[in-house]
Amino acid sequence: MEHIFSNATQILLLLFLTITLLQSGIDKIMDWKGNVTWLKGHFSKSIFNGAVPVLLGIVLLLEMVSGILCAVSAFQFIASGESDMAFCGALLSAITLLFLLLGQRVAKDYEGAKTIVVYFIPTIFLIYLLQ
């Protein structure tokens, strides 16, 4: 039980990323058509115009894999006090967020880009803790 307390910050950050990324990925799966339609408009005047479904699929895959890795890692920390996947989950989460940030910047949605930074900061902190 002591290992839960000594790894509480890592566990909480992994659960934060699990919820954030899996919810986002599941939303894309549940409303694929709506997301594609909205994003086509969002990127209509950008270099991503015409590639929205492929790019959305890539982001969906990254979100789901990142979220699953973070969930498994949190469980490993709780069960054994160690996780051999946590760093990979955190790093892939950061890469996923950078993809999302790039999209927001390319679309010139600077408010949306600021929102991504709110998620990026704790992710970078988690990577720092896991080194």
Side-chain angles (χ1 to χ4, degrees):
M1 186 66 135
E2 184 178 315
H3 62 271
I4 294 173
F5 297 116
S6 64
N7 295 306
T9 304
Q10 293 92 324
I11 293 166
L12 290 170
L13 287 168
L14 287 164
L15 291 174
F16 169 80
L17 289 172
T18 299
I19 292 166
T20 300
L21 295 166
L22 287 182
Q23 184 280 324
S24 183
I26 291 167
D27 177 64
K28 286 173 180 62
I29 292 168
M30 300 302 288
D31 187 21
W32 178 263
K33 186 177 178 180
N35 277 284
V36 168
T37 300
W38 185 83
L39 288 169
K40 280 183 177 180
H42 194 62
F43 290 111
S44 64
K45 297 177 183 174
S46 77
I47 60 172
F48 295 152
N49 186 27
V52 167
V54 172
L55 295 173
L56 184 61
I58 292 168
V59 168
L60 167 62
L61 181 65
L62 287 169
E63 287 177 336
M64 294 303 290
V65 173
S66 299
I68 291 167
L69 278 172
C70 289
V72 170
S73 299
F75 178 76
Q76 283 183 330
F77 267 123
I78 292 167
S80 69
E82 296 180 18
S83 175
D84 53 357
M85 287 189 274
F87 185 79
C88 292
L91 188 61
L92 189 58
S93 296
I95 292 166
T96 302
L97 291 168
L98 288 174
F99 271 64
L100 294 169
L101 178 68
L102 174 65
Q104 296 292 42
R105 298 290 301 184
V106 167
K108 297 184 182 188
D109 180 358
Y110 302 115
E111 289 302 314
K114 283 192 237 179
T115 302
I116 302 299
V117 173
V118 170
Y119 296 102
F120 192 69
I121 292 168
T123 305
I124 294 301
F125 182 60
L126 177 59
I127 290 170
Y128 173 78
L129 290 175
L130 294 169
Q131 289 183 350

